[in-house]
Amino acid sequence: MQVQPSPLLARLANVPVIPVLEFGSVDEALHVSEALVAGGLPLLEITLRTPVAMDAMRAVAAKIPGACVGAGTVLTVAQLHAVRDAGAQFAVSPGLTPALAAGAQDAGIPLLPGVATASEAMAALEAGFTFLKFFPAQAAGGVPMLKSLYGPLSQLRFCPTGGIDAALAPSYLALPNVVCVGGSWVVPKDAVAAGDWGRIRKLAEEAVSLRRN
């Protein structure tokens, strides 16, 4: 299969962090997303881990100007089509199956598939993907693993996700094969519970400052 440049790369070039979001209500989704976008993080990964995820995507896509809604924890081709119809502009998967790789070609939505090993990265490259999620980043070898992958697979770019916080993010973003990182630290559960949207905006602003110079 001919490998094409990822349509996601241009959008992510200046966004160092993709917030990984798990919402309990649509109202929560709107408040959090508004704060993140205001803080400079417009690309939002809303995971399919809660019953309100699809409704949250629709609401954020329709009501938060500047938000670029992504769908996380996408496991099937049917989910790819469903999140596209809900307003998601990109999809993220923890792994990549042959069915998902084939279905993504026709789904009309960019897919960021997850890999954790060199063999998985090679299989994703064969399927036409050059921009990959490295997951679970810390458990799968972290920065040393990505450094090792760069030599033989320098044409690939990654968004490491899993176990990354504000302290670890700069070491990942300093790597030549890392475009951005995914993380949930910008949306602490206690801030959400307290309705402290200003704190979330401040954390987003701090995350933006992690951008590689």
Side-chain angles (χ1 to χ4, degrees), residues 64-159:
I64 305 298
C68 178
V69 176
T73 324
V74 172
L75 307 179
T76 68
V77 176
Q79 287 178 329
L80 269 180
H81 288 271
V83 299
R84 177 202 63 199
D85 293 344
Q89 297 183 49
F90 66 98
V92 184
S93 176
L96 184 65
T97 65
L100 194 60
Q105 305 300 321
D106 302 317
I109 181 172
L111 174 66
L112 180 64
V115 302
T117 68
S119 293
E120 291 174 0
M122 290 169 62
L125 181 61
E126 285 185 356
F129 296 94
T130 56
F131 182 34
L132 310 172
K133 174 180 177 177
F134 179 58
F135 176 82
Q138 282 294 101
V143 169
M145 179 63 168
L146 285 167
K147 284 182 177 178
S148 298
L149 289 175
Y150 184 64
L153 295 167
S154 60
Q155 68 269 60
L156 296 179
R157 294 294 178 268
F158 294 92
C159 174

Side-chain angles (χ1 to χ4, degrees), residues 48-73:
L48 296 179
R49 298 177 188 173
T50 67
V52 303
M54 298 295 288
D55 288 336
M57 284 180 211
R58 293 187 187 94
V60 173
K63 298 181 179 181
I64 305 298
C68 178
V69 176
T73 324

Side-chain angles (χ1 to χ4, degrees), residues 7 13 31 36 46 118 142 146 160 167:
H31 282 296
L36 291 169
I46 300 176
L146 285 167

Side-chain angles (χ1 to χ4, degrees), residues 186 188 190-192 196-204:
V186 291
D190 60 339
V192 175
D196 192 350
W197 317 125
R199 181 184 170 197
I200 292 172
R201 176 173 177 166
K202 185 175 185 297
L203 288 169

